[in-house]
Structure formats: structure tokens, C-alpha cells
Amino acid sequence: MSISYGAYAGKVLKIDLTSQTVSDYPVGDEDLKLFLGGKILAARILNDFIKGPLDPLGEENVMVVSSGPLNATGCPSSSRFNVSAVSPLTGLLTSSNCGGSFGCTLKRAGIDALVITGKSPYWVYIDIDADGVKFKDAESLRGKGTSETQEAIGGKGSKLVIGPAGEHLVRYACAVSDERAAGRGGIGAVMGSKNLKAVVVTGRKNPAVYDAEKLRKIKAKWTKRLKSHPLTGEQLPRLGTAALIASMQQKRLLATKNFTDGRFSGYASISGEELAEKFLVRNKGCISCPIRCARVVEVDGKPVKGPEVEIMGLMGANILNDDLGQIIKWNYEMDELGMDTISASGTIAFAMELNEKGMWDSGLEFGKTDNISDVLKEIAFRSSERGDKLAQGSRKLSEEFGGEDFCIQVKGMELSAYEPRGAVGQGLGYSVANRGGCHLNAGYEVVVEGLGLTINPYTVHGKAEIAVMFQNLMEAVSAGGNCLFTTYAFFPFFLFKRPNSMLSKTVNKALPYLGGPLHVINKYPHLAHIHLTSMLPHTKALSAATGMKITMGDLMRIGARGFNLERTINARLGISAKDDKLPKRLTDCEQVPGDPRTKVPQAKLKKNFYFARGWDSDGMVKPKTAKYYSIDALDDIGARPVSGAEHVVVK
Amino acid sequence: MVTVEFFGLYRLNYHMKSIEVEASTVKELFQKIYEVNPFYTVKELKHSIVIVNDVNFNDLKKYRTPLKDGDRVLIMSPASGG
Ligand code: SF4
């Protein structure tokens, strides 16, 4: 097997921590054509290893770090790489996307992906450079925060590290590269369970692309489009993702008091505008990103990464806190401790409600903020009984103390800050997303249900078809190595610049009724044999970079293949329709008392979704769907003959 | 008095967070805002997302939406979502 496509480095390495050996994992052209890269290629590789339920914190769990073909090509916003494994939080496949430099450098070191197996007998970090792979003692790095660890390792390489939370197996610990996190699903704990404190990679050679001149022209036009679009050229650079808070409040989408409400009286103090006016030092971007949505703020006089909309909602409205300064500080602390801000915040809010209801006295109370920093440390180090319990995530807390109906998680993963009773399509997405209650894997339908476009947020019409389309598109874009925000430029300018025009109003009214045509495109994506060059230049860029012929239909098909493959793997891990469910608070209780529209009609939405996906009534991928996406008879890549050079393990 | 709060890029560009004005319709309100802060052109205001007491003015009488003492209006520059 070999890789001949452009833009790929041409090698996937398997590193076994138990035996400290390195070998080729013989991924070939056909795999890349079908599974592209990033999270989808990772699912393809993990398909070889996950045969049934396994202990996510056991030696048998396998972690795949994968780049996408557009990483290190200089395409706009294309530094995003992926880390996948079985999640200690959900027990299912998780894929975590990260904007740090690690993915690009991995490619420059001549490697497309790492397959990390086994468990080291002592704390190590892996150091990969032109000389080979070294396993270095990491004892001296233990207990260090994520930036401290990167500084202590030093050198010019890119790092992927864990903090104390990962070392102590906090089920929602993250891995960090530079200051960007592979946040969701507990990847940090998987690394911790393998006694792996960090992976360092050094490389300088950009991979050759198929048609450099063509790609150069595409990049120039693409960057121009992103810079001129109202969302990616103005809103995200100026206000970051936090721009959404005011709209979320307005549309009853701002999760408040552990999702008892969609509006928070103190929202103005935790808005993106407040962040920009009072705290912003400058904006910043991942490598090669013209959008630069990241915020730089100060904590104790030091410039640090600023908060995103999710934590501003979850550590603001959702715990009844209107002090943005505190949120900024906690955000920094969680990044340093190495834990996912969304799951940590959601777990804390749930504990607050348990306490309010007299079910578990953790000392956490809505509106009380003076003990949060201590609690975060206790979680990361598991240094107290409450920290130890909170480190398990909200689902485990509900198993011990009750409160399942208001435990705001799906499949064990805490929901993001978007209250789905104000956007039922988003509610559907949360309930069926492969990695659990993740707003992005859900399809991020809330973007058209109030935060951008304003289609009817309460109707079930078209919602399943839109969710499927968005999921497929986002899966594929992410697998290519691009940031999902590049898909925002898909929406025509007028919808944002002229929201009160007749045309905008008509589009918003009509979209839910386009479920039929969307269904046909979702079902037979190969029919979409087109490029939407100005709106989604991804297809042309991928084609020029790799030499594959990728149309819109191909892109959607790759995305759908990834989504279905992840579902198939999750089914092996025990998932079925019974698990695709929101907590009862969101499906059975009206957000606005007396308004029956304001709860998620889950059964109907799920039925439509399964139909749109080609799944059976128990949520299983039907054989003919698996066949259509060529995932019905996958071989074991690892069992293929390996050719090529021996790998150097430097002791 | 009608209380008007601003969100989005116009707020950053024109440095206006909130004001209180007398106005009997949204149309009149736009004119008053322009008089107070001429950076805010009426054209820009027309393309803003305008919320009167929690309801989008498109679902009311748009520019003719009546305003009364104590009403709260939210003006968000377009593309305040995303
Ligand atoms: S838009 Fe933001 S998250 Fe995406 S690549 Fe750019 S800076 Fe990173």
C-alpha cells in the first residue's frame, strides 16, 4: 500500500507504548479517497480496533491523531487536526478537533496520522523528528499545566500535551496544542491512561500538492471571500464567537440555570460586546486563518486565550453568574488544568441544581462564584471527594445522586450553551450526534434557527434533512483540515446584510419546506456533480491539492460515510435508538410555560432523521445504506502487508 | 421614554451602548438616534435587527410599530448571528 495523492505526507505511523515500537500502518490511496483524512480517516482506522465495548481508560483503547489533506497547504483556516479514541466520558467514539500547530507540523514531519496503542509502564512523552521516534521520560513534567508543559519541553517542535486533569483521568480532560484544545470527550484522560504526557513533533517540509498554481489561485479567491463575508470578515474577527450571546438571549437560546430557561437577565454583562469593549487585547487566529476569531485577553497582567461563546453561556447564564472577569479567569484555569470547558461547566451547573434540590451538598450554588476556582483545581487533581465525583462528569453524578431528568447531557456528554427548546432542530442534532451532546457534531442547525438565518425554530419541517446535510458537510470539511467556520461563507451575503428584506424573509420562510429536495440530495449525493466555487471552495481546493476529483456530491458523500461509519462503530459499542435522547427537561417541559412549541418534539424529529439517514427504526445503519457508502465490508488495514523502510526508535 | 440598547458591530464602531429617547414609532426612533449619533445612518438602522419588547419589528408593523413610554428596543447590527 502506498499513498500517491498530493497534499498527503504519505505515511501513517503506529506507535505502541507498551513495547515502545513503531511501525507503518498501511493506509493506501483507496482509503484516502473514501475517508479523506481527519476524523473520518480516524474512524476508518479505529474501525480496525473497536470490535465491541472496551474500557476507554484501559490499555486496549487506541488513539488516532490525524491531519487533513489541506493542513500545511496554506489554504485559509486549514490547520485543524483531529484526535479520536473511545471516550471515557461517553464510552463511544469521540473525535476532537483542534486548531493548534500540531497537525501542520505532523504533516511537515512526513506523517499524516499517528495510531497510538498500548500503555507505557512509566510516564513518557513521544518526540518525533527527522531522526526517528524517541520515548522520553516525562516524570519531571507531571503535575504541570498545559502551557507550562509545553514550555518545559521547549524546542521548536509542535506539542500536544495534557495537564493535571488528563493525568488524573478526569473524564472530560482535553489535550492542548499551543493554546488550542482538542476539547470534547476526554482525549486528555485517554492520554493520561496511557501514561502519555505529550507528543512532540518537529518537521519543516510542506507536502507537495497536485497542482500548486491552481491551488494558489483558489487560495487567493477563497481568502478574499472569507474576508469580505459579513460573518467571517467582520463579525467573527471583531467579536469572536461571543457575538452570539445577544442573539441567543433574544431567541431564548441562552441556556440559563442548568437549562431551566433560555434567557438570563444579566446577559448584557457577559456578551461579546462587553468582552470586546472591556477585556479584549487583540484578536488572534489559528495558523493560516484570515478570520482570526480567537480572543486574547489578560489574566493577572498576562495575555491569555479569551473565552468562547460556549463557556460564556455555560459559566455565565447557566450558573447565574454575570461577572465576565470571572469567566475569563476560569476559562484560563480550565485550559491550564487541561479540561474541556463545556463539560466541566455543565457538570458544575448540574451539581448546583442537585444541591439546590437537596440531593447532593457539594457546596456549589447557583450565583455563588467564590469557590469555583478551588473546585476546578479539586477536579483536575481529584484532591477532594467532591472534586473526585465531579471529575466523572454529570451522567455519573446522576447515577449516584439521581436527577436524570435535569442532567443536561446526551450519551454522557454535556450539552453546549444553546438551549434546544428554542431551536428544535438543534435539539434533534444533540440527541443523535455521534459523540454525544455536541453542538457541532449535531449539525449546528441553530445557525439557521435563529443565529444567522431565522427559520421557524419550532417546526419539525425540514429539520431532519437540514441536520443531515449540515452534519455531512461539516464532517467532510473537518476531515479536509478546515475550520468549520469556513462553511459560514456558504450563506449568501444578503441574508446577513439585509435581514429585513423581502428576499431574506422569503428564504427564511421557505427553507423548512425544502425538506423534500434536501432529502433527495442527502440520499443521492452523487447527483450533486457540481462545484459551488465561491460559496464552498473546499471542493476545488481539495481537488487541486490532492489530485482527486471532488465535487459537492463527493464531499457530502464523504461526510455521510464518516457519520455512518462512526454510528456503526458506536453500535458495536452498544448504541441504539434508546440512547438518542435528550433529558426530559428539554422534551417534556415547556421552556415558556403555556407555550407547547417550546419543548423538543424528539420522537417525531428522530423518526424523520432515521429515515433521512437510511437507518432503521432502532437507529441502526441499514445494510443498503452501509453498502452505498462502501462501509459494509471494510478490511483490517493493519493486516495488510507492510512495505517500506524500517522505523528508527531512538532510545 | 424608550430605552434602546445596541449590540453588534455598530455598537463597537459608533461607541453607543444604550440611550433613552422619546419616540412614538420605530421610524421616529431611527431619526432620533441619528440626531443623537449621526454615525448611525437611518439606512443602517433600517438594515439592523430591531427587537421591540422581545418581538422582531418584522413581526409587528416594522417602521410603523408604535412605541410608548417604558418600551425596550434592541438594535443589533446585521450579521449579529452566525
Ligand atoms: S476561524 Fe477561529 S477557530 Fe477557525 S481557524 Fe480561524 S481562528 Fe481558528
Side-chain angles (χ1 to χ4, degrees), chain A residues 322-342:
Chain A
D322 62 3
D323 185 342
L324 185 51
Q326 295 267 32
I327 299 174
I328 288 171
K329 186 165 146 278
W330 298 329
N331 185 58
Y332 170 63
E333 288 168 354
M334 284 190 264
D335 280 352
E336 283 303 305
L337 293 166
M339 62 174 93
D340 174 32
T341 54
I342 297 178

Side-chain angles (χ1 to χ4, degrees), chain A residues 77 79-80 99 180 236 284-286 289 291-294 483 485:
Chain A
S77 318
S79 69
R80 312 287 308 192
R180 311 293 296 192
L236 280 166
K284 198 178 168 181
C286 306
C289 181
I291 304 172
R292 297 169 66 82
C293 77
C483 177
F485 291 148

Side-chain angles (χ1 to χ4, degrees), chain A residues 298-553:
Chain A
E298 277 188 0
V299 171
D300 300 332
K302 193 172 139 189
V304 300
K305 190 181 95 183
E308 310 236 7
V309 60
E310 288 81 20
I311 186 183
M312 288 168 71
L314 292 174
M315 276 301 208
N318 206 39
I319 63 165
L320 302 187
N321 164 49
D322 62 3
D323 185 342
L324 185 51
Q326 295 267 32
I327 299 174
I328 288 171
K329 186 165 146 278
W330 298 329
N331 185 58
Y332 170 63
E333 288 168 354
M334 284 190 264
D335 280 352
E336 283 303 305
L337 293 166
M339 62 174 93
D340 174 32
T341 54
I342 297 178
S343 280
S345 313
T347 303
I348 286 172
F350 178 57
M352 286 176 171
E353 187 160 351
L354 284 176
N355 193 11
E356 189 179 74
K357 291 189 156 56
M359 298 163 80
W360 180 43
D361 181 3
S362 57
L364 286 162
E365 288 170 32
F366 288 114
K368 176 174 152 68
T369 59
D370 59 354
N371 57 355
I372 302 271
S373 285
D374 289 340
V375 167
L376 293 173
K377 262 190 230 115
E378 289 167 32
I379 294 172
F381 288 92
R382 292 194 184 239
S383 56
S384 66
E385 198 191 331
R386 76 173 164 189
D388 193 46
K389 289 190 191 304
L390 290 163
Q392 300 280 66
S394 59
R395 184 169 66 179
K396 294 248 182 241
L397 279 184
S398 82
E399 283 164 13
E400 185 170 353
F401 300 109
E404 193 191 345
D405 294 354
F406 58 89
C407 180
I408 309 298
Q409 52 79 32
V410 174
K411 304 185 179 84
M413 183 179 276
E414 291 72 17
L415 266 55
S416 188
Y418 310 97
E419 219 285 28
R421 289 176 296 182
V424 302
Q426 181 66 35
L428 164 69
Y430 278 137
S431 61
V432 295
N434 282 321
R435 65 177 179 183
C438 164
H439 58 295
L440 296 172
N441 202 207
Y444 209 20
E445 200 166 341
V446 69
V447 162
V448 293
E449 289 181 297
L451 303 182
L453 304 200
T454 50
I455 70 171
N456 181 345
Y458 302 118
T459 182
V460 297
H461 286 299
K463 295 297 171 71
E465 290 80 8
I466 296 173
V468 169
M469 178 167 272
F470 283 12
Q471 284 170 343
N472 292 350
L473 210 53
M474 286 162 76
E475 293 279 302
V477 164
S478 159
N482 274 120
C483 177
L484 295 178
F485 291 148
T486 56
T487 59
Y488 281 7
F490 176 75
F491 298 109
F493 287 23
F494 73 87
L495 290 170
F496 299 97
K497 291 208 159 186
R498 301 280 182 268
N500 304 318
S501 71
M502 193 49 84
L503 191 52
S504 294
K505 281 193 254 178
T506 309
V507 169
N508 282 312
K509 281 239 153 37
L511 196 53
Y513 297 99
L514 295 180
L518 290 184
H519 181 76
V520 174
I521 296 172
N522 286 336
K523 194 133 195 228
Y524 307 106
H526 62 277
L527 298 177
H529 202 66
I530 48 165
H531 292 277
L532 298 171
T533 313
S534 65
M535 294 150 91
L536 278 177
H538 307 68
T539 53
K540 287 223 159 153
L542 283 165
S543 302
T546 64
M548 297 178 199
K549 303 254 172 292
I550 300 182
T551 62
M552 268 305 292

Side-chain angles (χ1 to χ4, degrees), chain A residues 230-231 234-235 238-239 243-244 246-247 250 263 267 273-274 276-277 447 451-452 488 496-500 505, chain B residues 5 7-9 11-13 17 43 46-49 51 54-58 62 74 76 78-82:
Chain A
L231 292 182
E234 281 185 288
Q235 185 203 302
R238 297 280 308 278
L239 287 160
L244 297 178
S247 294
Q250 193 46 48
R263 282 188 176 161
Y267 81 99
E273 291 78 0
E274 199 77 0
E277 286 162 352
V447 162
L451 303 182
Y488 281 7
F496 299 97
K497 291 208 159 186
R498 301 280 182 268
N500 304 318
K505 281 193 254 178
Chain B
E5 282 182 274
F7 286 95
L9 294 174
R11 165 164 152 182
L12 299 194
N13 293 346
K17 202 167 163 179
K43 189 173 162 210
K46 281 184 174 173
H47 293 308
S48 296
I49 298 161
I51 313 287
D54 286 342
V55 184
N56 192 305
F57 82 153
N58 285 317
K62 216 168 169 179
L74 226 74
M76 301 195 245
S80 285

Side-chain angles (χ1 to χ4, degrees), chain A residues 91-322:
Chain A
L92 307 171
L93 188 58
T94 194
S95 54
S96 227
N97 192 268
C98 179
S101 60
F102 189 90
C104 289
T105 312
L106 189 68
K107 286 271 289 280
R108 291 185 180 123
I111 301 164
D112 292 302
L114 299 172
V115 183
I116 301 176
T117 60
K119 176 180 179 172
S120 170
Y122 57 94
W123 279 94
V124 290
Y125 75 91
I126 301 172
D127 191 356
I128 305 168
D129 62 16
D131 295 334
V133 179
K134 305 179 194 78
F135 296 88
K136 292 187 171 170
D137 193 292
E139 193 54 42
S140 63
L141 300 173
R142 284 185 69 189
K144 288 193 193 304
T146 53
S147 62
E148 216 188 334
T149 302
Q150 296 185 75
E151 276 159 29
I153 292 171
K156 292 216 169 95
S158 291
K159 289 115 192 157
L160 182 67
V161 307
I162 60 170
E167 291 175 40
H168 294 278
L169 310 183
V170 174
R171 286 183 187 272
Y172 42 86
C174 62
V176 172
S177 171
D178 307 327
E179 59 207 1
R180 311 293 296 192
R184 306 233 64 193
I187 288 296
V190 175
M191 285 178 70
S193 72
K194 295 183 173 304
N195 286 338
L196 179 61
K197 178 71 177 172
V199 187
V200 185
V201 66
T202 309
R204 286 184 190 85
K205 193 168 171 279
N206 282 337
V209 297
Y210 175 75
D211 188 338
E213 184 49 27
K214 198 166 178 188
L215 189 63
R216 192 185 59 74
K217 286 187 187 147
I218 293 166
K219 284 193 284 197
K221 276 196 190 153
W222 192 354
T223 304
K224 205 169 150 201
R225 166 92 182 175
L226 289 171
K227 282 190 163 173
S228 59
H229 194 278
L231 292 182
T232 52
E234 281 185 288
Q235 185 203 302
L236 280 166
R238 297 280 308 278
L239 287 160
T241 54
L244 297 178
I245 294 280
S247 294
M248 287 162 72
Q249 166 78 8
Q250 193 46 48
K251 305 280 180 186
R252 298 188 183 280
L253 291 166
L254 182 61
T256 299
K257 202 182 179 202
N258 197 32
F259 289 71
T260 47
D261 203 348
R263 282 188 176 161
F264 175 48
S265 58
Y267 81 99
S269 315
I270 55 162
S271 65
E273 291 78 0
E274 199 77 0
L275 181 67
E277 286 162 352
K278 292 199 178 141
F279 298 95
L280 185 69
V281 176
R282 61 175 189 278
N283 66 336
K284 198 178 168 181
C286 306
I287 299 171
S288 80
C289 181
I291 304 172
R292 297 169 66 82
C293 77
R295 313 284 86 188
V296 177
V297 294
E298 277 188 0
V299 171
D300 300 332
K302 193 172 139 189
V304 300
K305 190 181 95 183
E308 310 236 7
V309 60
E310 288 81 20
I311 186 183
M312 288 168 71
L314 292 174
M315 276 301 208
N318 206 39
I319 63 165
L320 302 187
N321 164 49
D322 62 3

